Every structure is written in structure tokens, then in C-alpha cells.
Amino acid sequence: TTTGCSNRKAVEGAEARADETCACADLACAEKAHQAFDAWLREEMRRAIGYWLELGVAGFRVDAVPFIIRIPNTRTAKWKQDFDLLYDIHRLIQLRRGDAVMIGEANVPPGGEAKFFGPRGDGLQVMFNFWLNQHLFYALATEDVRPLVAALRATKNLPESCQWGIFLRTHHELDLGRLLGSTDRARAAA
């Protein structure tokens, strides 16, 4: 039922759209809204990916992956991640065009990347290595290579069919917040 939910369309089905959210406090209502939206979204993604694959596109960059795959969790009032969405997209791309690749942006610490790559490399094939990038800039700022070496070691184990995307970014986009306490911030700023 939709009793108490201010967003009947999203709960009831096919008309769900990205700008519709469940404004009620009932998490079960939010989960139902998500399920309706999720079915619509998955079908739209399949259509869009299929269209671009037919035109010859062989690579898809997925931005902000942790936010794309998050769904409401009715038991804990927190978000959980639906990695099956990544794995479904991977399967679709590989079935339609075996040489196509899915590149993802997921700023996660070492150990958190495993599910994004998938247990058998059946998720993202390439993931931007934010951890390494942040440590690279920290090493440059402090003139100390040890953080960079540690980051390389921490991110070396990947599924055989996957790889890191190594990148540089401009200083105004840089976020060292995960790395630095107040002492380290002062050291990097010096």
C-alpha cells in the first residue's frame, strides 16, 4: 500500500523518474519507491548502452559509482550498495561487445575497491585510483615519497582482468581530507 507516502507514483510503478523522491519518513516506502525507480532506470540504462554500443562506442565512464548504486536499507535506516547493478551493466556490455570497457570513478580506500571490480572481475574493468592520486600529491607537498610507496602497495592486488586508471588532477580539485589530521595538514601546507 502507499498509505503515508507522499509519492504514490514512484511507489506504484512505471512513471518513476529521477526527480521524484519519497518524502515520507517510512523507510519501507522509500525502498518501494526505489524499487520502482530502479526497474525503470535499469531498463533506460540498457537501452542507452545498447544504442551507443550499436554506434560503435567501446568505453563507458561511470561517474560517482558509490552514489549510483546506493539504495535505502529498511533495517538500518542507512544506505546500502547494490553492486548487482554494476555486474548487470558489465554483463550487458560484454554480451553485446566483448571488447567494450566500463571505467568507473569510486573514491574508496584500499579494501573497498574489491566489490567495485567484482569477485571475478565482473564489475568495473578500470577504476580511477583516487587513493594513489591523493598520496601522490601528499608526497609532492611534503617531499616525502613514503606515502606514495605505501599507496602503491595498498592498491596492488586486483582481479586479473581489471586495472587502475592512474590520473593527475588540478590542485583546485584535490581532496586530501581522508589522509590528513591537523598535524599533517600543517605539514602539507608548509
Side-chain angles (χ1 to χ4, degrees), residues 106-170:
N107 189 355
V108 296
E113 77 281 352
K115 289 183 178 179
F116 290 91
F117 284 122
R120 295 169 301 284
D122 48 356
L124 298 170
Q125 287 116 324
V126 179
M127 189 164 72
F128 292 115
N129 194 336
F130 284 90
W131 191 255
L132 179 66
N133 181 265
Q134 292 159 356
H135 283 81
L136 169 65
F137 276 92
Y138 180 64
L140 291 169
T142 61
E143 298 179 352
D144 181 1
V145 72
R146 290 176 294 181
L148 180 59
V149 171
L152 284 165
R153 287 186 179 133
T155 59
K156 70 179 183 178
N157 296 323
L158 298 175
E160 193 172 306
S161 62
C162 298
Q163 64 186 25
W164 287 113
I166 310 299
F167 66 101
L168 292 176
R169 59 190 330 166
T170 59

Side-chain angles (χ1 to χ4, degrees), residues 51-123:
Y51 171 81
W52 288 109
L53 285 168
E54 283 186 30
L55 290 178
V57 170
F60 295 89
R61 180 181 183 274
V62 185
D63 191 30
V65 177
F67 299 99
I68 291 172
I69 64 172
R70 73 180 197 166
I71 57 176
N73 184 340
T74 58
R75 290 181 288 283
T76 66
K78 294 183 180 179
W79 296 93
K80 58 185 177 179
Q81 292 179 311
D82 179 12
F83 288 96
D84 288 337
L85 176 60
L86 279 183
Y87 308 154
D88 289 348
I89 295 170
H90 176 96
R91 273 192 300 278
L92 170 67
I93 291 171
Q94 293 304 296
L95 284 171
R96 300 279 302 269
R97 183 175 176 150
D99 66 341
V101 65
M102 188 166 53
I103 302 167
E105 185 179 297
N107 189 355
V108 296
E113 77 281 352
K115 289 183 178 179
F116 290 91
F117 284 122
R120 295 169 301 284
D122 48 356

